[in-house]
Amino acid sequence: MPVGLFDTRTPLEPLHTEILAAITAVVDDSRFILGPNVSAFEQEFAAYLGAGHAVGVANGTDAITIALRAMGVGPGDEVVVPSFTFYASAEAIPPTGATPVFCDIDLDTFCVTADTVRAALTPRTKAVIVVHLFGNVAPVAEIEALGVPVLEDAAQSAGSRSHAGRPGSLGTAATFSFFPSKNLGGFGDGGAVTTNDAELADRVRMLRFHGSRDKVTYDHIGYNSRLDELQAAILRVELPHLDAWADGRRSAGEHYAAAGLGELVALPVPVAGADPAWHLYVVRDPDADELAQALSAAGIGNKAYYRVPIHRQTAMSAYRGALELPATEEAARTHLAIPMSAVLNPVQAVEVVEAVRAARGGRRPAAVASAG
Ligand SMILES: Cc1ncc(COP(=O)(O)O)c(C=O)c1O
């Protein structure tokens, strides 16, 4: 049986009636922009995260630009960001006027560390974007201890936990994406900025609304970037199920380990103290493209998301910098996402692992064994 790379449909099936009722209620109410569902979702999401404030915005990319500006980032500043992440983590920096400075990651966790960030700091560094990649939880406190404000890019880590709290509550501010395939996904674009700082939240509220409080007087050059009411109504139905879905993602990782996947490829490693709700399950293999072809032929979904890391993308050529990023290059070359969802069951996990075993002739290649 084929196993898809992800499954967003099955977890939502039991919620169909409730979601349709929520949509109908918004249509009947006719308040489509910044209505009662957006405010209620903001409160419910902040409470879920253990953060003081959540502000809904149009998508996870705007969330980063707006959060950086609310943190005071502007022209002449540098923002440290990993290169091994989705392009938007870095793309959101130049619109603030600041310069992205790319840092390396830890190969086992795919996340930045205090050491990789330290190597990229200069007197012009105004903030660090710490990406909780694939659902892992990067070590925010260790990076804050370097004396630089942290913006968490938590787009991929809704539902994850760490001993310090949930992603979204750990840094100066955090950003989320509610893109449909995310751990908490809407039926279109959506995002949020979260923070424990009331004044920062207030600046985000103004920036998402043309830099204004009332659309009569304008204090900043802002954005038209709101979470819309229909998405908020849908996300409110989903939020109470996020923890159960996150548990499903954790279990899926355990099913893979139990089926022996770690004997064949390098598995993703949780950061110390983290309990990831895997958004993507990303393994490493020295012949990742060959493995991808074999899995596709066997009907197993797979994808190399970041084969070209951001600092090598054409649009970022002006920001390439002089830092060597060896773990980034290695991760880019060897990573491969295999099926992951809230409902991936043990039978499917065994099918995936057997397809990997067949592709690998039953042996874990030596190069991965020594790296992992
Ligand atoms: C790590 C990361 N950052 C930022 C984003 C941007 O979010 P959006 O697509 O909602 O703009 C995404 C998702 O797409 C992401 O995965």
Side-chain angles (χ1 to χ4, degrees):
M1 283 282 282
V3 184
L5 184 57
F6 50 83
D7 181 353
T8 51
R9 180 186 289 261
T10 308
L12 291 177
E13 271 166 9
L15 305 182
H16 252 180
T17 311
E18 214 183 325
I19 288 173
L20 290 179
I23 292 171
T24 303
V26 174
V27 172
D28 289 345
D29 186 58
S30 289
R31 282 182 284 175
F32 295 110
I33 302 291
L34 296 184
N37 281 289
V38 171
S39 331
F41 174 71
E42 288 175 344
Q43 284 177 19
E44 290 157 8
F45 193 50
Y48 170 85
L49 298 172
H53 311 269
V55 184
V57 296
N59 55 68
T61 310
D62 284 5
I64 298 171
T65 304
I66 290 174
L68 288 173
R69 282 199 53 202
M71 288 166 69
V73 170
D77 295 331
E78 291 178 355
V79 176
V80 175
V81 64
S83 172
F84 189 75
T85 169
F86 178 54
Y87 179 66
S89 302
E91 179 192 28
I93 298 170
T96 68
T99 302
V101 175
F102 293 104
C103 73
D104 212 357
I105 52 162
D106 173 71
L107 191 54
D108 291 328
T109 64
F110 298 114
C111 286
V112 299
T113 68
D115 285 339
T116 67
V117 169
R118 189 186 293 108
L121 296 179
T122 78
R124 289 168 64 198
T125 308
K126 185 83 174 196
V128 177
I129 297 179
V130 163
V131 184
H132 300 306
L133 200 66
F134 304 143
N136 219 333
V137 188
V140 173
E142 289 172 28
I143 293 161
E144 274 186 329
L146 299 172
V148 59
V150 166
L151 175 62
E152 302 170 69
D153 179 346
Q156 300 189 4
S157 64
S160 294
R161 299 183 291 239
S162 83
H163 59 14
R166 289 192 183 278
S169 68
L170 307 175
T172 298
T175 59
F176 286 86
S177 164
F178 304 123
F179 186 82
S181 62
K182 295 289 192 268
N183 289 5
L184 180 66
F187 289 10
D189 280 310
V193 178
T194 62
T195 179
N196 289 316
D197 179 335
E199 286 177 15
L200 199 156
D202 192 47
R203 288 194 291 278
V204 171
R205 276 185 206 288
M206 287 182 79
L207 285 170
R208 76 168 171 184
F209 192 65
H210 303 286
S212 176
R213 289 185 203 285
D214 52 12
K215 235 178 165 184
V216 176
T217 55
Y218 299 88
D219 295 353
H220 308 284
I221 305 290
Y223 307 86
N224 175 3
S225 183
R226 282 103 39 152
L227 177 66
D228 76 58
E229 188 69 5
L230 277 169
Q231 298 307 329
I234 292 163
L235 291 166
R236 289 186 71 199
V237 175
E238 294 183 8
L239 184 59
H241 302 274
L242 177 56
D243 275 341
W245 293 339
D247 284 343
R249 291 175 178 279
R250 287 184 190 99
S251 299
E254 286 158 18
H255 300 327
Y256 278 140
L261 186 62
E263 296 153 21
L264 305 167
V265 289
L267 305 185
V269 176
V271 172
D275 188 11
W278 299 113
H279 170 56
L280 300 172
Y281 200 78
V282 177
V283 301
R284 284 184 294 114
D285 185 277
D287 301 312
D289 288 333
E290 196 186 285
L291 178 61
Q293 272 184 10
L295 291 181
S296 298
I300 305 297
N302 65 85
K303 187 166 172 175
Y305 277 85
Y306 314 132
R307 200 56 96 224
V308 181
I310 304 177
H311 71 288
R312 295 203 178 281
Q313 297 288 348
T314 308
M316 291 286 160
S317 55
Y319 308 119
R320 208 152 279 167
L323 275 184
E324 302 262 310
L325 306 176
T328 296
E329 306 285 2
E330 178 71 1
R333 192 178 66 76
T334 58
H335 79 286
L336 191 69
I338 60 171
M340 171 52 65
S341 77
V343 291
L344 188 113
N345 62 44
V347 175
Q348 291 173 309
V350 167
E351 277 190 46
V352 173
V353 173
E354 289 317 308
V356 175
R357 197 183 304 279
R360 284 282 148 268
R363 278 174 296 104
R364 185 182 185 187
V368 166
S370 61

